[in-house]
Amino acid sequence: MGDLAANRQMFEEIPKLNVGGTAGPFGSAEGLQVVSLCGKIGGDGLPARDVISQQLLLQKLEAAGRRYMRDLRRQATIDVKQP
C-alpha cells in the first residue's frame, strides 16, 4: 500500500475492495489501470522493503566475488622450485 501513496485515488479505493472486486480505471504515467483484488494476506511476517533490498545487494556482491575468485584461479601461475 505504501507504493500507492503517489496515486491518491488508488490509495483510497483499493483498501475498500472486497476479495474478487475490481477498482478503476486509474490514470497513471503508463496509461489506464484496472485493479482486481484476488486475496488479502497480512504482511505481518514479511520483511521490510529495505531488508529485501539489502539481501539482494549482498547476494549480487557475493556472486561477483565468487566470479572474481574463479577468474583469478584460472589465470594463476604456480612456480614450483626444487631446492
Side-chain angles (χ1 to χ4, degrees):
M1 288 300 300
D3 293 339
L4 297 176
N7 189 330
R8 197 71 180 152
Q9 187 181 10
M10 288 177 81
F11 186 76
E12 291 172 357
E13 288 189 31
I14 290 178
K16 298 175 190 174
L17 282 177
N18 293 324
V19 174
T22 57
F26 303 107
S28 68
E30 295 84 22
L32 293 176
Q33 297 177 343
V34 176
V35 179
S36 178
L37 182 63
C38 299
K40 291 185 178 184
I41 298 175
D44 299 337
L46 297 177
R49 180 178 294 272
D50 294 337
V51 173
I52 293 171
S53 261
Q54 185 80 15
Q55 289 174 348
L56 290 174
L57 177 64
L58 289 175
Q59 287 175 1
K60 288 179 184 179
L61 287 173
E62 288 173 5
R66 285 192 301 271
R67 281 192 304 272
Y68 181 70
M69 290 302 293
R70 180 197 62 214
D71 293 344
L72 282 177
R73 286 188 195 103
R74 285 182 181 168
Q75 297 173 359
T77 302
I78 300 173
D79 288 338
V80 178
K81 296 183 180 183
Q82 298 292 332

